[in-house]
Amino acid sequence: MMGPMESFAQALSDHPVVLDGGLATHLEVRGHDLSTDLWSARLVLARPDAVVAAHRDYFLAGARVATTASYQASFAGLARLGLDAEESRDVLVATVALAARARREVVEATGDDRARWVAASVGPYGAALADGSEYTGDYGLSVAELARWHRPRLEVLASAGADVLAIETVPCLAEVEAVLSVVAGTGWPCWLSVTVDGNRTRAGEPLVEAFAMAAEVDEVVAVGVNCCDPTDVAAAVSLATATGKPALAYPNRGEDWDAARHRWIGDAAFDVDQVAAWVAAGARLVGGCCRTTPDDIARMAAAVDPSTASRIDDAGT
């Protein structure tokens, strides 16, 4: 079972917590092919050691949270590989176990037993389609249909031993409503992170409406944005803090995803110097999304907690 909500939530009330960066893009930098529809989840089956190593890199860089390789994994996507429901469930559970293994290995290697958490990634419906629709929210599905699709995966990940569910890159209000309807009343701690364009969802709806829905759900321990342009973060954090819940922010490097060609295009705009402003505005969880690296997270961790730099040096990274 998942640990008590208070352990993760209490940390957010005490001090800012640094998340990891782009898991899949870091795996690509390490030489792994993620061109399939399952993205990083493919390596859970093919190279689980590689997933552990990528998580370990982020922990050693100063991240306090490892976000699992389950973002693009779904029962439908795994079925296309020939896996039945039980085998698919095992893959989802394994994503949590691999992140927990990396956490354990870092403690054993460094002796640094600071609290670290595992966040089970729950990507949006569009991520499983692998067609870029998580950046439009143009699904053509009702709230009830989206809730039915999300429920089985949420149930598995909630029972897999993670500390929190990372419901992330949600592009539209219908999907916000759907996932919140599944988690409400369950006792599963989660964060809700929306992907945005300015102060609106990717579907063009007011971001404040998404946050207002999350404010009504006790299971939501933090609310914010991810996989957006870094320049959109400050305004979003202000809106998130107005809910009374801790705010989170983990943008990408500012590039755009070309779904047709499966590549990132445009110029990067990520600057770790912006992080202090996000924290000052009320962000309690800060990190990076696609294309951000362990080096970015190390600089971010040093900015949020200067003592982190000495711990990293002592670990020999």
Side-chain angles (χ1 to χ4, degrees), residues 18-21 58-66 114-116 297-298 301 308:
V18 177
L19 304 170
D20 53 8
Y58 279 116
F59 276 138
L60 289 171
R64 301 285 294 279
V65 179
R114 288 177 300 155
R116 296 177 177 86
I297 297 305
T308 299

Side-chain angles (χ1 to χ4, degrees), residues 122-166:
V122 181
Y125 175 77
L129 301 180
D131 62 358
S133 59
E134 69 262 49
Y135 299 112
T136 66
D138 186 16
Y139 300 152
L141 297 179
S142 68
V143 170
E145 289 170 325
L146 287 167
R148 283 196 296 272
W149 185 86
H150 274 287
R151 185 179 299 277
R153 184 172 57 160
L154 281 163
E155 290 175 342
V156 170
L157 290 171
S159 65
D163 300 290
V164 63
L165 297 170

Side-chain angles (χ1 to χ4, degrees), residues 40-91:
S40 56
R42 183 188 72 82
L43 294 183
V44 176
L45 291 165
R47 288 289 308 278
D49 57 316
V51 177
V52 173
H55 286 313
R56 193 168 57 235
D57 286 347
Y58 279 116
F59 276 138
L60 289 171
R64 301 285 294 279
V65 179
T67 310
T68 64
S70 50
Y71 175 84
Q72 206 136 348
S74 68
F75 281 93
L78 292 165
R80 288 194 291 271
L81 288 183
L83 277 64
D84 62 25
E86 188 62 27
E87 290 168 329
S88 297
R89 180 188 182 282
D90 289 345
V91 170

Side-chain angles (χ1 to χ4, degrees), residues 224-244:
V225 293
N226 79 292
C227 212
C228 59
D229 193 293
T231 60
D232 289 334
V233 167
V237 167
S238 295
L239 292 175
T241 56
T243 67

Side-chain angles (χ1 to χ4, degrees), residues 26 30 97 110 147 155 177 187 213 227 239 244 253 274 300 305:
H26 182 50
R30 290 178 64 98
T110 66
E155 290 175 342
E177 183 178 352
M213 283 191 277
C227 212
L239 292 175
R253 290 187 65 86
Q274 298 168 315
M300 186 177 293
D305 178 6

Side-chain angles (χ1 to χ4, degrees), residues 162-182:
D163 300 290
V164 63
L165 297 170
I167 301 171
E168 54 185 353
T169 328
V170 182
C172 60
L173 294 181
E175 193 159 23
V176 169
E177 183 178 352
V179 292
L180 292 177
S181 73
V182 176

